[in-house]
Amino acid sequence: MVLAPLRVGAEGILVFAAASLKTALDEVATGYQQETGQNVTVSYAASSVLARQIQLGAPADLFISANVDWMNVLQDQGLVESASRVDLLGNGLVLIGGAGQSDLGAMQPDVDLSSALNGGYLAMALVDAVPAGIYGKAALQSLGLWQGVQGQIAQTDNVRAALALVATGAAPLGIVYRSDAQVEDRVRVVAEFSSQLHPPIIYPAAVTTGASENARAFLAHLQSEAAGAVFEKQGFALPNG
């Protein structure tokens, strides 16, 4: 079990955020701290893990999920304030490989993914629990490719762990978010998935029930033009973009 960190101070903000947000959100949080003097602590993990921690009473002030389902679960249980909920960001799915991996172009039903793996494994976040894995499995099923490769999947606890398998050469290919591929120099995008192949990738954000005004202020900052510029630079899409 992953333990939630303790709050640094009574006035600090504890954010639970999907692992794929780390690079961009770290930059946004650092800038916010410098501007306001407000301490922001971010705990990153799979959305499923974070949601379960909140269900168990973890002291998060703000939750940013990589899909709507886990946010819906917490909202239905009265653990986040529905009035604060916003669709913060969007993303896309890509197939990545090592620096020497050949391009496969747009993912199509005739792509021989099993041969491209050359006996290796396809790195993916947990396909039945973690948003990136759920989206990836849906895309492969839409293409009719899932059955041919399901025995060659290396499942990881979160999408950044899948990225790391490809970056270190432990897996020849992986399915990650577009934003993940941008932060790792040791991988390259070899194919892209059409957004029509999977449910929309939406990152909802909401403050937890009873969160402080400090948390609400940080959520407002996440929707600002300055924060949006950072997220876009890191490969995310803005809701009205």
Side-chain angles (χ1 to χ4, degrees), residues 124-155:
M124 297 177 66
L126 292 167
V127 298
D128 292 322
V130 178
I134 293 171
Y135 293 129
K137 179 180 178 180
L140 293 175
Q141 288 176 323
S142 296
L143 291 166
L145 299 176
W146 174 252
Q147 188 170 356
V149 298
Q150 60 180 329
Q152 296 173 269
I153 306 297
Q155 297 189 56

Side-chain angles (χ1 to χ4, degrees), residues 168-219:
T168 59
L173 297 171
I175 297 177
V176 300
Y177 294 122
R178 178 180 60 235
S179 58
D180 294 309
Q182 287 193 197
V183 303
E184 176 53 75
D185 292 338
R186 294 172 292 174
V187 307
R188 61 189 302 270
V189 174
V190 299
E192 297 190 4
F193 291 89
S194 166
S195 61
Q196 305 301 312
L197 296 172
H198 54 76
I201 299 175
I202 297 171
Y203 288 71
V207 297
T208 56
T209 304
S212 68
E213 288 303 315
N214 292 333
R216 300 176 199 280
F218 184 60
L219 177 55

Side-chain angles (χ1 to χ4, degrees), residues 9-234:
E11 298 303 316
I13 304 165
L14 178 57
V15 182
F16 277 18
S20 52
L21 288 162
K22 179 171 175 50
T23 307
L25 188 54
D26 278 353
E27 183 175 340
V28 172
T30 298
Y32 185 76
Q33 288 181 159
Q34 291 172 344
E35 291 175 13
T36 66
Q38 180 69 57
N39 183 66
V40 180
T41 302
V42 188
S43 177
Y44 296 102
S47 301
S48 53
V49 171
L50 297 172
R52 290 180 182 126
Q53 289 181 3
I54 292 172
Q55 287 176 315
L56 292 171
D61 296 301
L62 175 64
F63 177 47
I64 312 174
S65 175
N67 76 350
V68 298
D69 291 341
W70 284 110
M71 185 65 79
N72 288 344
V73 168
L74 297 187
Q75 183 172 321
D76 290 345
Q77 295 177 355
L79 296 173
V80 297
E81 294 188 4
S82 57
S84 72
R85 179 173 173 172
V86 295
D87 288 341
L88 186 65
L89 299 167
N91 216 329
L93 277 187
V94 295
L95 183 72
I96 58 168
Q101 190 72 38
S102 300
D103 286 338
L104 297 178
M107 288 300 293
Q108 303 288 344
D110 60 355
V111 170
D112 191 347
L113 191 54
S114 183
S115 293
L117 289 169
N118 194 30
Y121 286 84
L122 178 66
M124 297 177 66
L126 292 167
V127 298
D128 292 322
V130 178
I134 293 171
Y135 293 129
K137 179 180 178 180
L140 293 175
Q141 288 176 323
S142 296
L143 291 166
L145 299 176
W146 174 252
Q147 188 170 356
V149 298
Q150 60 180 329
Q152 296 173 269
I153 306 297
Q155 297 189 56
T156 63
D157 288 341
N158 60 67
V159 70
R160 285 297 175 95
L163 176 70
L165 285 183
V166 181
T168 59
L173 297 171
I175 297 177
V176 300
Y177 294 122
R178 178 180 60 235
S179 58
D180 294 309
Q182 287 193 197
V183 303
E184 176 53 75
D185 292 338
R186 294 172 292 174
V187 307
R188 61 189 302 270
V189 174
V190 299
E192 297 190 4
F193 291 89
S194 166
S195 61
Q196 305 301 312
L197 296 172
H198 54 76
I201 299 175
I202 297 171
Y203 288 71
V207 297
T208 56
T209 304
S212 68
E213 288 303 315
N214 292 333
R216 300 176 199 280
F218 184 60
L219 177 55
H221 177 73
L222 293 176
Q223 301 168 71
S224 69
E225 185 175 341
V230 174
F231 287 124
E232 283 192 303
K233 180 183 69 175
Q234 297 287 349

